Amino acid sequence: MEPSSSSSGSVNGSSLMVMTESHSQSIVVQKDKAVTSMSRAYLENKAVSDAKSLIAELCRQFYAMGWVSGTGGSVTVKVHDDSVPRLDQLIVMSPSGFQKERMVPEDMYVLSPDGFILSSPASKPYPYKPPKCTDCALLFMKVLLQLVIFGFSIFLAFTLYLCVFLQQFLFFFVGVQVYGMCNAGAVIHSHGMESCLVTMINPFLKEFRITHMEMIKGIQGHSYSDELVVPIIENTSHEGELTEPIAEAIRAYPKATAVLVRNHGVYIWGDSWISAKTQAECYHYLFDAAIKLHQLGLDCSAPCHGPIGKVNGFWGSGGNFSRSFRTAAFGLDYMMEPSQHCILLDNEGTATPTSFITDVLFPYALDNVGKHLAATYGSKETQEDINLLRSQIQDDFEQGVSGAVPIPPDYVGKELVIASLVANVESMMRSDRKVIALKQLQGHIWRTGFQSNELVGVVFDDVPEALERWDASGIKVYVYSSGSRESQQLLFAKSNYGDLRKYFCGIFDTTMGNKKETRSYSEIFQTVGVDKPSDILFVTNVFEEAVAARAAGLEVIISVRPGNGPLPENHGFRTIKSLLEI
């Protein structure tokens, strides 16, 4: 957001009527003014007042942290009201051009869920400038109204009247494609120095990537060993012009909760102000860490944070220079092949002996499923596991899957419920089902075994040395397994060669998709950040998985290990007996 200058204007055209279902109130926007029949008492109730006070307090804190200095940056939150659905909750927004450290609750704007101004701050005497709605308003509304997640597509067309003092500042959303609706509860726009500098380390990269940092755990949906990816868009002269690039970034990175704007700052959102603030603190910490690691010549995107590679005079992380130069306006002489690729490892039969899975982990889960369910039956986690199993078993009945046993309702007693669950789990495991409900429960059972040292993960003897070699060469390694992410992390954390998690940039499970389906590998390609699918080498012991990965464009090698199943004749894939052959 730019420091403001005084401006005024009017909205031309006919009156516009919008109904907000939550309060059954009409809002009329007329020339030169906004008139609403919404109860003044509701606009001044405790929930709205608390939200105004909260933003004033947050702005003072963020000013002290260097995020909103020079009147830049902004904060907006939804007014929490249990009687009003999230989509219909009012929005409180900080104004533009105000000294953030001196703001008071009365300085805030109140907007309808559709972006109409319901309440504006009063003008203050000189030297204060007339209040205006933040230039970030449209961007905030994009995030608040259109966070993209997978689901059904719907189209919305609506007009936002954002500020009576911004001449002709009307924005029209037509045909906005939304995949489900996942509304944020708060959005923070920061001009923090670290959020600006981190986009300048390499002026051609379109993503910020970092892994194996403790503060990554503070970002929604991420753990320590995950790779955090934040899209970077280019800055524009006017903040309103960032609307579509930010919307495109949200669509392209549905798991992201932030978008960096080069040489400008960052937008961060969460489902509540606490979530947005916590993530903002973590993001700024990680941006600062990346800058300092870069100053030390270390790569923040590599698990071991080893030395950065140098390409054509540019120092940068992740080896993604091919992507960077192709997106810039350089000739072919400046383009080069990627300096590193990714390796995607299957686990069972590739990194871990099949016998460990079949002779150790599976029997442990079978022997302990009843005990685990009985001991944890009342916990939220186990109830979620049971609900997943109920849903899966219902699907099995509808599809005629053999071995499915009806699960009685809870009121008959947990003993009968557990007995039926055990019967279903046993049937699924005998059939080697790869369904999420089973894998999630197995992971929770194995967690108990690993934590109590009843279980110790086993990997082939060549695995630690191969991982160390690849890591030293700057090659990123991921795991894609039918087992849950949690169970894979436990296995590698408690392995017979110690904790190997430091070598992995990320772990995928069947929430990414079935391992025998091509689209699963296409999804992984979109996630790991390489130029083309063939930059990924997939190593597996399963022929059908190899076929699916090759169809997605990945390079594929089949691992031939003791205990692995036979391969078809003339299968057409290169085979190895040790990862050290790669």
Side-chain angles (χ1 to χ4, degrees), residues 285-307:
Y285 175 98
L286 293 167
F287 297 154
D288 187 48
I291 293 167
K292 290 176 178 175
L293 283 169
H294 181 79
Q295 291 170 337
L296 295 171
L298 301 178
D299 184 355
C300 68
S301 69
C304 67
H305 301 147

Side-chain angles (χ1 to χ4, degrees), residues 386-407 424 428 433 435-438:
I386 292 173
N387 289 336
L388 272 178
L389 284 168
R390 285 185 186 274
S391 178
Q392 181 63 55
I393 292 162
Q394 180 62 36
D395 290 344
D396 290 349
F397 274 116
E398 293 174 358
Q399 297 173 18
V401 176
S402 62
V405 176
I407 300 179
N424 279 285
M428 291 178 181
R433 301 280 301 278
V435 294
I436 294 174
L438 174 63

Side-chain angles (χ1 to χ4, degrees), residues 251-262:
R251 284 191 287 268
Y253 296 82
K255 297 179 182 178
T257 55
V259 174
L260 282 160
V261 183
R262 198 183 311 279

Side-chain angles (χ1 to χ4, degrees), residues 61-275:
Q61 292 181 19
F62 295 163
Y63 176 84
M65 299 164 77
W67 296 359
V68 293
S69 56
T71 77
S74 195
V75 181
T76 182
V77 301
K78 283 206 166 186
V79 177
H80 180 72
D81 186 338
D82 290 329
S83 65
V84 180
R86 172 68 70 86
L87 285 173
D88 298 328
Q89 290 174 353
L90 300 182
I91 298 164
V92 176
M93 190 175 294
S94 62
S96 175
F98 272 48
Q99 302 289 330
K100 297 299 190 292
E101 77 279 15
R102 296 179 61 84
M103 287 200 310
V104 294
E106 292 73 25
D107 293 329
M108 306 304 162
Y109 281 87
V110 180
L111 282 69
S112 74
D114 300 309
F116 292 90
I117 295 175
L118 305 180
S119 174
S120 302
S123 296
K124 295 184 178 182
Y126 181 86
Y128 291 97
K129 296 176 180 178
K132 72 171 184 176
C133 197
T134 173
D135 292 343
C136 305
L138 182 59
L139 305 178
F140 285 151
M141 296 304 295
K142 271 285 189 185
V143 176
L144 287 166
L145 294 173
Q146 187 198 292
L147 286 185
V148 183
I149 60 173
F150 293 111
F152 57 89
S153 297
I154 62 174
F155 290 87
L156 301 177
F158 51 89
T159 303
L160 297 182
Y161 170 66
L162 290 177
C163 186
V164 295
F165 292 100
L166 289 180
Q167 190 172 30
Q168 300 298 324
F169 204 35
L170 285 172
F171 297 92
F172 191 61
F173 292 155
V174 180
V176 178
Q177 190 177 38
V178 181
Y179 299 93
M181 293 299 293
C182 179
N183 290 326
V187 185
I188 296 169
H189 176 40
S190 166
H191 285 193
M193 181 69 74
E194 53 271 71
S195 67
C196 184
L197 292 180
V198 79
T199 67
M200 300 174 168
I201 291 177
N202 187 311
F204 307 106
L205 290 180
K206 300 300 182 184
E207 297 170 336
F208 166 75
R209 290 176 175 268
I210 191 168
T211 188
H212 285 71
M213 295 287 286
E214 180 67 16
M215 293 295 273
I216 292 177
K217 292 161 64 175
I219 306 301
Q220 178 180 306
H222 290 76
S223 63
Y224 164 78
S225 59
D226 287 339
E227 184 176 45
L228 174 66
V229 182
V230 182
I232 302 174
I233 64 174
E234 300 304 319
N235 195 25
T236 58
S237 298
H238 302 286
E239 200 138 14
E241 296 172 1
L242 292 173
T243 304
E244 286 309 316
I246 283 184
E248 291 173 6
I250 292 174
R251 284 191 287 268
Y253 296 82
K255 297 179 182 178
T257 55
V259 174
L260 282 160
V261 183
R262 198 183 311 279
N263 305 346
H264 180 146
V266 63
Y267 290 87
I268 300 165
W269 57 88
D271 58 9
S272 68
W273 72 267
I274 293 177
S275 173

